[in-house]
Amino acid sequence: MEIKGRISRIRNPANIRRTGGEISDSETMLKIDRQIHAGGGLSVRIFCSFGRHTHGNFDYIRKPGVALR
């Protein structure tokens, strides 16, 4: 069994050619990941991430998931 965690902060600055203005948005994210090795090359991964975005079209972003490998 493996347990991983990650905290990230991404900033996206950009210039708007048409108006000469600038925009800048950023995202802060916490991700928790657990992988269970079942044997015989089979593993199951369960993950969940929580993010906060500064752009007006986004708010809190939650992403749960399961992967079979």
Side-chain angles (χ1 to χ4, degrees):
M1 178 175 69
E2 297 177 43
I3 297 176
K4 301 175 189 175
R6 179 174 65 180
I7 297 174
S8 64
R9 176 139 174 100
I10 301 168
R11 185 172 174 269
N12 300 312
N15 293 326
I16 303 170
R17 289 184 188 176
R18 160 174 73 114
T19 63
E22 293 183 5
I23 59 171
S24 177
D25 62 330
S26 61
E27 180 180 2
T28 305
M29 184 174 65
L30 168 66
K31 183 176 182 180
I32 300 170
D33 195 328
R34 179 178 177 183
Q35 187 163 354
I36 302 166
H37 300 278
L42 179 67
S43 67
V44 177
R45 188 176 78 141
I46 301 167
F47 59 91
C48 188
S49 66
F50 302 95
R52 172 75 173 128
H53 205 283
T54 59
H55 192 277
N57 290 332
F58 299 100
D59 196 10
Y60 292 99
I61 302 168
R62 296 169 199 90
K63 298 177 187 175
V66 176
L68 180 63
R69 183 172 128 184

